[in-house]
Amino acid sequence: MEVHQALPYLRETILFLALTGVLIPLLQRFRINQVLGFLAAGTLVGPFGLGLWTQDMPALANFTFPDRSGVAALAEFGVLFLMFMIGLELSAERLWALRRWVFGAGTAQVLVSAALIGMLAWLFGNPVEVAVILGFVLSLSSTAVVMQLMNEQRTLGTPLGRAGFSMLMLQDLAVVPLLILMGVLAKGSSEGVATLALLTMLKSVGAILLIYLLGRRVIRPLFLAFARQRQPDVFMALTLLSTLGIAALTEMAGLSMALGAFLAGLLLAETEFKHEVEVTIEPFKGLLMGLFFMSVGMAIDVREVAKSPFLLPLSVLGLFAIKTAVIALILRIGGFGWGRALEGGTLLGQGGEFTFIVVGQAIATQLMPEPTGQFIMLVVSLSLFATPMVAKAGQLLRAWLEHHVPPVPGGAEDAPQPAAGRIIIAGYGRVGQLVGQMAAAQDIPYVAFETDARVVSKLHALGLPVYFGDAARLELLRTVKAEEAAAIVLTMDHPASALHAVKAIRREYAHIPIYARSRDEKHAVALRHAGATKVIPETLEAGLQLSALVLQGLGMSEGGTAHVIQMERERRIEEIS
């Protein structure tokens, strides 16, 4: 009797979930980069690792992936959501704020690195098409690895961190023309490649613009219509619909589904629902990233190391050397001292995760020979493994140079740091709006959250930094780096929500001042005991203002009235404290 599986790839899915359930806590505990951990795990349990011995030891088949096709289908979702998350991180506002480093330094880095690496690949006997692909794809760095390292080292807010982040943003944008170029080269033949390239580029740009313009008119109203229900499962459904729907549209237009997922993230990044979407998909982000990188690890044949014991390490060193030199020179021209410039170069000198996507597609379309693709993926994988060690060497080199060579006066390293931190306003009704207006009048940056989608839509359209979401959710606060905030202001109408928010924020962020509005003095006492720094009961201020009018109406001078009211205000606030 023939047995049918209820679900395709059920064994592979269960095994993957079991591995991630064990790996993620272990990697976090020992502070190992998750990208590197999943790459290593995929290599170990993949068809070129333990999977090689499944015929001799059949029991291994229960704990390995002898056939990569079982994971490849699932990994497609990992690719789509990797591109979606990158698109979500980009926004017109962010790009414009860092435009000098993004479009100036970032473009120069990609073009110069691509030219040098492509020329080297051509000199090693690769066809021009392959050399062009390798040049551009190897000029990109790993956003996942670099961002995690910068977060661990707390350098993202420094001038060097912002410059590095800007280059990564340009590299992420460069993926779009690179995917289009892949389509052109895959269709290329002896007949006019230039004409084909022009037609494909025009078609691609037209399709992207059409999808983007239509998406702007559809996605925001769609989210706005359903946001009033305030249900996380609705946001998850809409996020999946947007990502997969736009990915399907780009595929219908003859473009990559990954490009569609990127456009979906880019569209949502410009809406007031950006942070809520980030919180909604956060629990799945690690799984999807792990799925993608584990699948990449399974495609790596470690036996190639034995075949190229000298060429492989030299290729990894060469990749780091070329990109470190180019990036360090650009950073030096941008005003950094040689120490910081070389530190930035070593941090961004590895290959990137897009190499696996592009090279895999190039092999599938027979644009690149499989041995060449395997070799390049192995080089990039080893460069990812080596990044923490190379970055540490860059820090030591910077410290040595700074000790022997004084920094450049007035350079980028001496650029003024941003203000101590913006304030976060939870609840943007009448009171919250007044706080925001007062902060803006004093040039104090702020970001506000409100759960009324209609209010958010109206204010966000005016250019105000107001987003949909409940600031009592710590996941939402993490998306705006609440740990760097100068203060958190709670102006919520609902007393229970305000009390819950104070307790949660104080547990997570013990050092941040919390200023809260309370319903009455009893509520104010509860908020103070929960950890609020200062609390103002709305009934207190209304009563004091009314008392001031009465006293002045009875003949008390304005100065005397102000003194009496202030004394009473301080006495009552002291009682609350």
Side-chain angles (χ1 to χ4, degrees), residues 390-468:
V390 174
K392 185 64 177 177
Q395 290 179 330
L396 295 175
L397 180 60
R398 182 258 303 165
W400 184 86
L401 285 173
E402 286 183 349
H403 181 70
H404 292 83
V405 181
V408 182
E413 295 168 77
D414 296 328
Q417 298 294 313
R422 61 184 174 183
I423 63 173
I424 297 173
I425 304 173
Y428 210 65
R430 291 169 297 174
V431 177
Q433 289 178 35
L434 179 58
V435 174
Q437 291 165 7
M438 295 290 290
Q442 301 302 317
D443 294 325
I444 298 172
Y446 73 93
V447 61
F449 291 104
E450 171 59 46
T451 55
D452 189 329
R454 289 172 295 182
V455 172
V456 174
S457 179
K458 178 182 176 181
L459 296 174
H460 193 82
L462 297 175
L464 297 177
V466 184
Y467 296 91
F468 179 83

Side-chain angles (χ1 to χ4, degrees), residues 18 88 95 115 177-178 194 208 216 311 343 475 516 534:
L88 197 61
L95 290 171
L178 181 57
I208 290 170
R216 292 188 68 177
L311 184 58
E343 181 185 6
E475 300 91 343
K534 293 288 184 182

Side-chain angles (χ1 to χ4, degrees), residues 26-211:
L26 283 177
L27 295 175
Q28 290 176 343
R29 180 175 180 180
F30 294 104
R31 297 185 178 180
I32 299 173
N33 189 284
Q34 288 194 10
V35 173
L36 307 184
F38 280 114
L39 278 172
T43 304
L44 179 64
V45 301
F48 303 114
L50 294 176
L52 292 171
W53 285 278
T54 52
Q55 290 185 350
D56 299 327
M57 303 174 65
L60 278 177
N62 297 317
F63 309 102
T64 60
F65 297 87
D67 183 9
R68 186 172 174 266
S69 62
V71 178
L74 297 173
E76 289 295 325
F77 284 99
V79 174
L80 292 180
F81 280 92
L82 174 67
M83 294 295 292
F84 174 78
M85 288 301 301
I86 288 172
L88 197 61
E89 285 295 318
L90 298 174
S91 66
E93 179 185 354
R94 210 169 195 181
L95 290 171
W96 184 251
L98 298 168
R99 57 191 179 278
R100 173 173 170 256
W101 284 105
V102 174
F103 299 108
T107 303
Q109 181 271 317
V110 169
L111 292 179
V112 175
S113 298
L116 292 175
I117 296 170
M119 180 65 70
L120 198 60
W122 179 72
L123 291 175
F124 268 82
N126 290 289
V128 174
E129 294 85 355
V130 175
V132 169
I133 292 172
L134 292 179
F136 275 105
V137 78
L138 292 177
S139 70
L140 309 182
S141 306
S142 173
T143 302
V145 172
V146 173
M147 290 299 291
Q148 182 163 337
L149 283 175
M150 286 199 290
N151 282 328
E152 289 173 357
Q153 299 166 2
R154 300 186 181 276
T155 56
L156 190 56
T158 65
L160 180 62
R162 290 195 296 275
F165 176 73
S166 301
M167 291 188 185
L168 290 173
M169 281 203 291
L170 190 281
Q171 291 177 7
D172 293 339
L173 287 173
V175 174
V176 176
L178 181 57
L179 291 173
I180 295 172
L181 176 64
M182 284 287 297
V184 172
L185 294 177
K187 297 174 185 176
S189 61
S190 54
E191 55 177 61
V193 175
T195 304
L196 179 63
L198 180 61
L199 290 175
T200 305
M201 184 66 71
L202 290 174
K203 174 189 171 184
S204 302
V205 171
I208 290 170
L209 286 176
L210 182 62
I211 292 170

Side-chain angles (χ1 to χ4, degrees), residues 306-320:
K307 295 180 182 178
S308 308
F310 299 107
L311 184 58
L312 200 55
L314 286 175
S315 299
V316 175
L317 289 174
L319 178 63
F320 269 107

Side-chain angles (χ1 to χ4, degrees), residues 142-308:
S142 173
T143 302
V145 172
V146 173
M147 290 299 291
Q148 182 163 337
L149 283 175
M150 286 199 290
N151 282 328
E152 289 173 357
Q153 299 166 2
R154 300 186 181 276
T155 56
L156 190 56
T158 65
L160 180 62
R162 290 195 296 275
F165 176 73
S166 301
M167 291 188 185
L168 290 173
M169 281 203 291
L170 190 281
Q171 291 177 7
D172 293 339
L173 287 173
V175 174
V176 176
L178 181 57
L179 291 173
I180 295 172
L181 176 64
M182 284 287 297
V184 172
L185 294 177
K187 297 174 185 176
S189 61
S190 54
E191 55 177 61
V193 175
T195 304
L196 179 63
L198 180 61
L199 290 175
T200 305
M201 184 66 71
L202 290 174
K203 174 189 171 184
S204 302
V205 171
I208 290 170
L209 286 176
L210 182 62
I211 292 170
Y212 185 79
L213 293 174
L214 288 176
R216 292 188 68 177
R217 292 183 174 272
V218 172
I219 282 187
R220 188 169 172 272
L222 186 65
F223 272 78
L224 182 60
F226 289 95
R228 297 169 187 172
Q229 300 180 30
R230 303 178 188 176
Q231 294 179 342
D233 51 348
V234 173
F235 266 87
M236 174 56 72
L238 290 177
T239 301
L240 288 171
L241 175 63
S242 303
T243 306
L244 299 178
I246 296 178
L249 287 176
T250 53
E251 186 184 36
M252 290 170 58
L255 301 172
S256 165
M257 289 184 69
L259 177 58
F262 175 82
L263 286 175
L266 203 60
L267 285 167
L268 281 170
E270 296 183 353
T271 70
E272 58 271 33
F273 304 103
K274 170 186 175 180
H275 297 298
E276 186 70 17
V277 170
E278 286 180 341
V279 170
T280 303
I281 65 175
E282 181 65 29
F284 304 95
K285 186 170 68 173
L287 280 176
L288 293 168
M289 290 279 286
L291 185 60
F292 170 66
F293 284 110
M294 192 177 288
S295 171
V296 168
M298 292 175 194
I300 298 169
D301 189 347
V302 292
R303 294 173 296 181
E304 293 294 326
V305 178
K307 295 180 182 178
S308 308

